[in-house]
Amino acid sequence: MHANSGQALLDAARKGIGIVQLPDYYVDPWIASGDLVPVLTKYQPSDEGIWAIYPTNRHRSPKIRMLVEHLGRYLGQSS
């Protein structure tokens, strides 16, 4: 099965249709309840970062600067 909807993949896994790879926020409640079981954990990809990309040769608008700073604080990284 191939889908571009995390919810559709989660529903398929919960119905026993197959194995899915989804972000923690989709599956954590279902793993905690025992409805889903992690498999192949030693092959789990490492966490990836999130980047804010903007042109360096232009002045950052206050909205963009505030968003990047907020995300940095919220995600635990400096901007």
Side-chain angles (χ1 to χ4, degrees):
M1 175 178 172
H2 176 79
N4 63 357
S5 165
Q7 189 61 49
L9 293 170
L10 176 61
D11 290 342
R14 291 187 60 227
K15 291 175 181 171
I17 294 174
I19 297 172
V20 297
Q21 179 180 346
L22 289 168
D24 294 341
Y25 58 84
Y26 277 103
V27 296
D28 278 348
W30 304 107
I31 291 172
S33 73
D35 195 30
L36 292 177
V37 178
V39 297
L40 304 172
T41 54
K42 76 178 194 175
Y43 299 102
Q44 182 175 345
S46 59
D47 291 337
E48 293 187 22
I50 298 174
W51 297 271
I53 300 172
Y54 46 87
T56 58
N57 60 347
R58 294 193 341 199
H59 178 70
R60 273 192 294 173
S61 73
K63 290 178 184 179
I64 298 297
R65 182 181 48 77
M66 289 175 65
L67 173 64
V68 170
E69 289 173 359
H70 173 75
L71 291 174
R73 283 191 302 274
Y74 181 76
L75 299 172
Q77 301 292 321
S78 60
S79 58

